[in-house]
Short mmCIF file of all heavy atoms in Angstrom, two decimals:
data_model
loop_
_atom_site.label_atom_id
_atom_site.label_comp_id
_atom_site.label_asym_id
_atom_site.label_seq_id
_atom_site.Cartn_x
_atom_site.Cartn_y
_atom_site.Cartn_z
N ASP A 1 8.42 2.46 2.34
CA ASP A 1 9.06 3.43 3.23
C ASP A 1 9.26 4.73 2.48
O ASP A 1 8.89 4.86 1.32
CB ASP A 1 10.37 2.89 3.82
CG ASP A 1 11.42 2.57 2.77
OD1 ASP A 1 11.32 3.08 1.64
OD2 ASP A 1 12.35 1.81 3.08
N GLY A 2 9.83 5.71 3.18
CA GLY A 2 10.08 7.00 2.57
C GLY A 2 8.80 7.69 2.14
O GLY A 2 7.75 7.54 2.77
N TYR A 3 8.88 8.42 1.02
CA TYR A 3 7.72 9.19 0.57
C TYR A 3 6.53 8.29 0.25
O TYR A 3 5.38 8.69 0.42
CB TYR A 3 8.10 10.06 -0.64
CG TYR A 3 8.07 9.33 -1.96
CD1 TYR A 3 6.94 9.41 -2.78
CD2 TYR A 3 9.14 8.55 -2.39
CE1 TYR A 3 6.89 8.73 -3.99
CE2 TYR A 3 9.09 7.89 -3.58
CZ TYR A 3 7.97 7.98 -4.39
OH TYR A 3 7.92 7.29 -5.58
N ALA A 4 6.79 7.06 -0.21
CA ALA A 4 5.70 6.15 -0.56
C ALA A 4 4.84 5.81 0.65
O ALA A 4 3.63 5.65 0.53
CB ALA A 4 6.26 4.86 -1.19
N ALA A 5 5.46 5.74 1.83
CA ALA A 5 4.71 5.42 3.05
C ALA A 5 3.71 6.53 3.38
O ALA A 5 2.69 6.28 4.02
CB ALA A 5 5.66 5.21 4.22
N ARG A 6 3.99 7.74 2.92
CA ARG A 6 3.05 8.85 3.15
C ARG A 6 1.98 8.89 2.05
O ARG A 6 0.83 9.21 2.33
CB ARG A 6 3.81 10.18 3.17
CG ARG A 6 4.72 10.37 4.36
CD ARG A 6 5.28 11.77 4.43
NE ARG A 6 5.97 12.19 3.22
CZ ARG A 6 7.26 11.93 2.95
NH1 ARG A 6 7.98 11.23 3.81
NH2 ARG A 6 7.82 12.37 1.84
N VAL A 7 2.36 8.60 0.81
CA VAL A 7 1.47 8.77 -0.34
C VAL A 7 0.53 7.57 -0.55
O VAL A 7 -0.65 7.77 -0.84
CB VAL A 7 2.30 9.02 -1.62
CG1 VAL A 7 1.41 9.12 -2.84
CG2 VAL A 7 3.14 10.28 -1.46
N VAL A 8 1.04 6.35 -0.39
CA VAL A 8 0.23 5.15 -0.66
C VAL A 8 -1.09 5.12 0.11
O VAL A 8 -2.14 4.86 -0.48
CB VAL A 8 1.06 3.86 -0.44
CG1 VAL A 8 0.18 2.62 -0.44
CG2 VAL A 8 2.14 3.73 -1.52
N PRO A 9 -1.10 5.43 1.42
CA PRO A 9 -2.36 5.34 2.17
C PRO A 9 -3.40 6.39 1.78
O PRO A 9 -4.57 6.27 2.13
CB PRO A 9 -1.94 5.55 3.63
CG PRO A 9 -0.48 5.37 3.66
CD PRO A 9 0.03 5.72 2.30
N GLU A 10 -2.99 7.43 1.03
CA GLU A 10 -3.91 8.49 0.65
C GLU A 10 -4.91 8.04 -0.41
O GLU A 10 -5.88 8.73 -0.68
CB GLU A 10 -3.14 9.71 0.14
CG GLU A 10 -2.34 10.41 1.22
CD GLU A 10 -1.48 11.54 0.67
OE1 GLU A 10 -1.44 11.73 -0.56
OE2 GLU A 10 -0.85 12.23 1.49
N ARG A 11 -4.64 6.91 -1.03
CA ARG A 11 -5.51 6.44 -2.11
C ARG A 11 -5.89 4.98 -1.90
O ARG A 11 -5.06 4.19 -1.47
CB ARG A 11 -4.77 6.59 -3.45
CG ARG A 11 -5.62 6.19 -4.61
CD ARG A 11 -5.04 6.64 -5.93
NE ARG A 11 -5.71 5.87 -6.98
CZ ARG A 11 -5.15 5.46 -8.09
NH1 ARG A 11 -3.90 5.77 -8.36
NH2 ARG A 11 -5.82 4.77 -8.98
N LEU A 12 -7.13 4.64 -2.22
CA LEU A 12 -7.56 3.25 -2.15
C LEU A 12 -7.20 2.59 -3.48
O LEU A 12 -7.77 2.92 -4.52
CB LEU A 12 -9.06 3.16 -1.89
CG LEU A 12 -9.60 1.75 -1.68
CD1 LEU A 12 -9.04 1.12 -0.40
CD2 LEU A 12 -11.11 1.75 -1.63
N TRP A 13 -6.23 1.71 -3.46
CA TRP A 13 -5.76 1.04 -4.67
C TRP A 13 -6.61 -0.18 -4.99
O TRP A 13 -6.72 -0.59 -6.13
CB TRP A 13 -4.29 0.64 -4.51
CG TRP A 13 -3.42 1.82 -4.23
CD1 TRP A 13 -3.07 2.30 -2.99
CD2 TRP A 13 -2.84 2.72 -5.16
NE1 TRP A 13 -2.32 3.43 -3.12
CE2 TRP A 13 -2.15 3.70 -4.44
CE3 TRP A 13 -2.83 2.77 -6.56
CZ2 TRP A 13 -1.45 4.74 -5.06
CZ3 TRP A 13 -2.14 3.81 -7.16
CH2 TRP A 13 -1.46 4.76 -6.42
N HIS A 14 -7.17 -0.79 -3.95
CA HIS A 14 -8.03 -1.98 -4.12
C HIS A 14 -8.98 -2.04 -2.93
O HIS A 14 -8.61 -1.64 -1.82
CB HIS A 14 -7.15 -3.24 -4.18
CG HIS A 14 -7.89 -4.45 -4.62
ND1 HIS A 14 -8.44 -5.35 -3.73
CD2 HIS A 14 -8.18 -4.92 -5.86
CE1 HIS A 14 -9.04 -6.32 -4.42
NE2 HIS A 14 -8.90 -6.07 -5.71
N GLU A 15 -10.19 -2.54 -3.16
CA GLU A 15 -11.19 -2.54 -2.07
C GLU A 15 -10.77 -3.40 -0.88
O GLU A 15 -11.25 -3.20 0.23
CB GLU A 15 -12.57 -2.94 -2.57
CG GLU A 15 -12.68 -4.38 -3.05
CD GLU A 15 -12.61 -4.53 -4.57
OE1 GLU A 15 -12.33 -3.54 -5.25
OE2 GLU A 15 -12.82 -5.65 -5.05
N SER A 16 -9.87 -4.35 -1.09
CA SER A 16 -9.42 -5.22 0.01
C SER A 16 -8.21 -4.65 0.75
O SER A 16 -7.70 -5.28 1.68
CB SER A 16 -9.08 -6.61 -0.54
OG SER A 16 -7.93 -6.53 -1.38
N GLN A 17 -7.76 -3.47 0.34
CA GLN A 17 -6.53 -2.88 0.89
C GLN A 17 -6.62 -2.62 2.39
O GLN A 17 -7.59 -2.04 2.87
CB GLN A 17 -6.26 -1.57 0.15
CG GLN A 17 -5.17 -0.71 0.72
CD GLN A 17 -4.99 0.54 -0.12
OE1 GLN A 17 -5.00 0.49 -1.33
NE2 GLN A 17 -4.84 1.69 0.53
N VAL A 18 -5.60 -3.05 3.11
CA VAL A 18 -5.46 -2.73 4.53
C VAL A 18 -4.05 -2.17 4.72
O VAL A 18 -3.07 -2.76 4.26
CB VAL A 18 -5.64 -3.99 5.43
CG1 VAL A 18 -5.39 -3.65 6.89
CG2 VAL A 18 -7.03 -4.58 5.22
N VAL A 19 -3.97 -1.01 5.37
CA VAL A 19 -2.67 -0.36 5.61
C VAL A 19 -2.36 -0.44 7.10
O VAL A 19 -3.20 -0.11 7.93
CB VAL A 19 -2.69 1.12 5.16
CG1 VAL A 19 -1.37 1.81 5.49
CG2 VAL A 19 -2.99 1.22 3.67
N LYS A 20 -1.14 -0.90 7.40
CA LYS A 20 -0.71 -1.00 8.79
C LYS A 20 0.59 -0.21 8.94
O LYS A 20 1.53 -0.41 8.16
CB LYS A 20 -0.47 -2.48 9.13
CG LYS A 20 -0.04 -2.73 10.57
CD LYS A 20 -0.06 -4.20 10.90
CE LYS A 20 1.23 -4.88 10.47
NZ LYS A 20 1.29 -6.31 10.83
N GLU A 21 0.64 0.69 9.92
CA GLU A 21 1.88 1.43 10.19
C GLU A 21 2.85 0.52 10.92
O GLU A 21 2.47 -0.17 11.86
CB GLU A 21 1.60 2.69 11.01
CG GLU A 21 0.89 3.77 10.21
CD GLU A 21 0.86 5.11 10.91
OE1 GLU A 21 1.33 5.22 12.06
OE2 GLU A 21 0.34 6.07 10.29
N LEU A 22 4.09 0.52 10.48
CA LEU A 22 5.11 -0.35 11.08
C LEU A 22 6.00 0.40 12.07
O LEU A 22 6.78 -0.21 12.77
CB LEU A 22 5.97 -1.00 9.99
CG LEU A 22 5.22 -1.92 9.02
CD1 LEU A 22 6.18 -2.47 7.97
CD2 LEU A 22 4.54 -3.06 9.76
N ASN A 23 5.90 1.72 12.08
CA ASN A 23 6.63 2.49 13.09
C ASN A 23 5.78 3.70 13.51
O ASN A 23 4.80 4.03 12.86
CB ASN A 23 8.02 2.91 12.58
CG ASN A 23 7.97 3.85 11.39
OD1 ASN A 23 6.90 4.31 10.98
ND2 ASN A 23 9.12 4.14 10.82
N ALA A 24 6.18 4.32 14.60
CA ALA A 24 5.37 5.39 15.19
C ALA A 24 5.26 6.61 14.28
O ALA A 24 4.25 7.29 14.28
CB ALA A 24 5.97 5.78 16.54
N LYS A 25 6.30 6.88 13.51
CA LYS A 25 6.30 8.06 12.65
C LYS A 25 5.49 7.86 11.36
O LYS A 25 5.23 8.81 10.65
CB LYS A 25 7.74 8.42 12.25
CG LYS A 25 8.60 8.91 13.39
CD LYS A 25 9.98 9.25 12.86
CE LYS A 25 10.94 9.61 13.98
NZ LYS A 25 12.31 9.73 13.48
N GLY A 26 5.13 6.62 11.06
CA GLY A 26 4.39 6.35 9.83
C GLY A 26 5.26 6.41 8.59
O GLY A 26 4.76 6.56 7.48
N THR A 27 6.57 6.28 8.78
CA THR A 27 7.49 6.32 7.62
C THR A 27 7.73 4.92 7.05
O THR A 27 8.44 4.78 6.06
CB THR A 27 8.84 6.96 8.01
OG1 THR A 27 9.39 6.24 9.12
CG2 THR A 27 8.67 8.43 8.38
N ARG A 28 7.16 3.89 7.69
CA ARG A 28 7.19 2.53 7.16
C ARG A 28 5.80 1.94 7.34
O ARG A 28 5.26 1.96 8.44
CB ARG A 28 8.23 1.65 7.90
CG ARG A 28 9.65 1.95 7.47
CD ARG A 28 10.65 0.93 8.03
NE ARG A 28 10.39 -0.38 7.45
CZ ARG A 28 10.23 -1.50 8.17
NH1 ARG A 28 10.28 -1.49 9.48
NH2 ARG A 28 10.01 -2.64 7.58
N ILE A 29 5.24 1.45 6.24
CA ILE A 29 3.90 0.85 6.30
C ILE A 29 3.90 -0.49 5.58
O ILE A 29 4.81 -0.80 4.81
CB ILE A 29 2.83 1.77 5.66
CG1 ILE A 29 3.10 1.96 4.16
CG2 ILE A 29 2.72 3.10 6.40
CD1 ILE A 29 1.95 2.59 3.38
N GLU A 30 2.85 -1.25 5.87
CA GLU A 30 2.65 -2.52 5.17
C GLU A 30 1.23 -2.50 4.60
O GLU A 30 0.28 -2.18 5.31
CB GLU A 30 2.82 -3.67 6.16
CG GLU A 30 2.76 -5.04 5.52
CD GLU A 30 3.10 -6.11 6.55
OE1 GLU A 30 2.20 -6.53 7.29
OE2 GLU A 30 4.28 -6.49 6.62
N VAL A 31 1.12 -2.82 3.32
CA VAL A 31 -0.17 -2.86 2.65
C VAL A 31 -0.48 -4.31 2.29
O VAL A 31 0.37 -4.99 1.70
CB VAL A 31 -0.17 -1.99 1.37
CG1 VAL A 31 -1.49 -2.12 0.62
CG2 VAL A 31 0.11 -0.54 1.71
N THR A 32 -1.66 -4.78 2.67
CA THR A 32 -2.09 -6.12 2.28
C THR A 32 -3.35 -5.99 1.43
O THR A 32 -4.17 -5.09 1.65
CB THR A 32 -2.37 -7.02 3.50
OG1 THR A 32 -3.31 -6.36 4.35
CG2 THR A 32 -1.10 -7.31 4.29
N MET A 33 -3.45 -6.88 0.43
CA MET A 33 -4.60 -6.92 -0.47
C MET A 33 -4.84 -8.36 -0.90
O MET A 33 -3.91 -9.15 -0.92
CB MET A 33 -4.34 -6.10 -1.74
CG MET A 33 -4.13 -4.63 -1.54
SD MET A 33 -3.93 -3.77 -3.11
CE MET A 33 -2.20 -3.38 -3.06
N SER A 34 -6.07 -8.67 -1.24
CA SER A 34 -6.41 -9.98 -1.82
C SER A 34 -6.81 -9.75 -3.27
O SER A 34 -7.80 -9.08 -3.53
CB SER A 34 -7.56 -10.63 -1.06
OG SER A 34 -7.15 -10.94 0.26
N LEU A 35 -6.02 -10.29 -4.19
CA LEU A 35 -6.19 -10.00 -5.61
C LEU A 35 -6.46 -11.25 -6.43
O LEU A 35 -6.07 -12.36 -6.04
CB LEU A 35 -4.94 -9.30 -6.15
CG LEU A 35 -4.50 -8.04 -5.39
CD1 LEU A 35 -3.18 -7.53 -5.94
CD2 LEU A 35 -5.56 -6.97 -5.47
N ALA A 36 -7.07 -11.07 -7.58
CA ALA A 36 -7.36 -12.19 -8.48
C ALA A 36 -6.13 -12.60 -9.29
O ALA A 36 -5.98 -13.76 -9.65
CB ALA A 36 -8.50 -11.82 -9.43
N ASN A 37 -5.25 -11.62 -9.58
CA ASN A 37 -4.02 -11.93 -10.33
C ASN A 37 -2.94 -10.92 -9.95
O ASN A 37 -3.22 -9.98 -9.21
CB ASN A 37 -4.28 -11.94 -11.84
CG ASN A 37 -4.68 -10.58 -12.35
OD1 ASN A 37 -3.91 -9.62 -12.31
ND2 ASN A 37 -5.92 -10.46 -12.82
N LEU A 38 -1.75 -11.13 -10.48
CA LEU A 38 -0.62 -10.29 -10.08
C LEU A 38 -0.19 -9.27 -11.13
O LEU A 38 0.73 -8.49 -10.88
CB LEU A 38 0.59 -11.19 -9.74
CG LEU A 38 0.38 -12.15 -8.57
CD1 LEU A 38 1.60 -13.05 -8.39
CD2 LEU A 38 0.09 -11.39 -7.28
N GLN A 39 -0.85 -9.24 -12.30
CA GLN A 39 -0.39 -8.35 -13.38
C GLN A 39 -0.37 -6.87 -12.96
O GLN A 39 0.65 -6.21 -13.05
CB GLN A 39 -1.26 -8.51 -14.64
CG GLN A 39 -0.88 -9.70 -15.49
CD GLN A 39 -1.53 -10.99 -15.01
OE1 GLN A 39 -2.44 -10.98 -14.18
NE2 GLN A 39 -1.06 -12.11 -15.50
N GLU A 40 -1.52 -6.37 -12.52
CA GLU A 40 -1.59 -4.95 -12.19
C GLU A 40 -0.75 -4.59 -10.98
O GLU A 40 -0.09 -3.54 -10.96
CB GLU A 40 -3.04 -4.53 -11.92
CG GLU A 40 -3.83 -4.25 -13.17
CD GLU A 40 -5.20 -3.70 -12.85
OE1 GLU A 40 -5.29 -2.68 -12.12
OE2 GLU A 40 -6.19 -4.28 -13.32
N VAL A 41 -0.74 -5.45 -9.97
CA VAL A 41 0.01 -5.13 -8.75
C VAL A 41 1.51 -5.15 -9.02
O VAL A 41 2.26 -4.41 -8.40
CB VAL A 41 -0.39 -6.05 -7.56
CG1 VAL A 41 0.20 -7.44 -7.69
CG2 VAL A 41 0.01 -5.42 -6.24
N THR A 42 1.95 -5.95 -9.99
CA THR A 42 3.38 -5.96 -10.36
C THR A 42 3.77 -4.57 -10.87
O THR A 42 4.78 -4.00 -10.42
CB THR A 42 3.67 -7.03 -11.43
OG1 THR A 42 3.32 -8.31 -10.90
CG2 THR A 42 5.14 -7.04 -11.82
N ARG A 43 2.97 -4.02 -11.77
CA ARG A 43 3.26 -2.67 -12.30
C ARG A 43 3.18 -1.62 -11.19
O ARG A 43 3.97 -0.68 -11.16
CB ARG A 43 2.30 -2.32 -13.44
CG ARG A 43 2.55 -3.14 -14.70
CD ARG A 43 1.79 -2.59 -15.89
NE ARG A 43 0.34 -2.68 -15.74
CZ ARG A 43 -0.37 -3.75 -16.07
NH1 ARG A 43 0.22 -4.82 -16.56
NH2 ARG A 43 -1.68 -3.75 -15.92
#
């Protein structure tokens, strides 16, 4: 949410990334990805 909801979709973080808007204003989003491990995504 907040500024991250605007900035995160501007970049492809992983090829499996899917961004879904959770409200009409786009101030809340949900990002889903399929990853091999959790190290990088944790950071």
Side-chain angles (χ1 to χ4, degrees):
D1 62 20
Y3 83 96
R6 292 188 305 275
V7 177
V8 168
E10 292 175 355
R11 182 167 164 214
L12 185 65
W13 301 92
H14 192 265
E15 66 260 8
S16 67
Q17 170 179 318
V18 176
V19 177
K20 181 170 84 177
E21 288 192 356
L22 298 178
N23 64 6
K25 292 180 186 171
T27 56
R28 284 189 65 232
I29 64 167
E30 186 173 84
V31 176
T32 55
M33 296 183 252
S34 294
L35 306 174
N37 64 65
L38 297 176
Q39 279 84 12
E40 278 186 55
V41 76
T42 300
R43 290 192 295 274

